[in-house]
Amino acid sequence: MATPCEDFTVDALLDHLFGSIASIGKALDVTVADQPSATPEARIADAAQTTLEAFRARGTEGALDMGFAELPATLVANILNLELLVHAWDFATATGQELSVSPALSDYVLGLARNTISPQMRGKSFAAETLVDESAASMGRLVAFTGRQVAGL
């Protein structure tokens, strides 16, 4: 089943999200156990819990070795927030579900996205920003900023 995240099926997106969370966990010196037979929600929630607990214990000072580069821990935390919320929207949209998110949360993550996604990342990790009406809800503006087509917004 296709998702709004270009080139990913639902299963591939689930594996991508798990891999992102596990990579951040590895940078935090924890092993994130994979449970591929668990429900998608349980698989991601368990992985996220391990990684978030490690982040809470470590804090966001300094840098993390992500394997491909040393990144400020605050930037890695921003990436984790983006991955979790934007891909939750991808999954909900692909499976015909509605994602109910507090505007305060989506506004916050939109701010993180604007500070995290540089023009150099467009065409690599993120597609070009798509257009939505200025009056669109912040979740719609967030997913448009990350390059998704937002129907009806």
Side-chain angles (χ1 to χ4, degrees), residues 80-95:
L80 184 57
N81 280 286
L82 280 165
E83 287 278 302
L84 290 169
L85 185 55
V86 173
H87 290 321
W89 183 88
D90 289 331
F91 283 116
T93 301
T95 58

Side-chain angles (χ1 to χ4, degrees), residues 42-96:
R43 183 180 179 204
I44 296 304
D46 290 348
Q49 181 174 350
T50 300
T51 299
L52 290 168
E53 287 174 356
F55 235 131
R56 184 168 189 232
R58 183 205 181 276
T60 56
E61 298 298 317
L64 290 171
D65 182 357
M66 294 301 297
F68 60 89
E70 288 245 341
L71 298 176
T74 53
L75 177 62
V76 176
N78 290 356
I79 292 167
L80 184 57
N81 280 286
L82 280 165
E83 287 278 302
L84 290 169
L85 185 55
V86 173
H87 290 321
W89 183 88
D90 289 331
F91 283 116
T93 301
T95 58

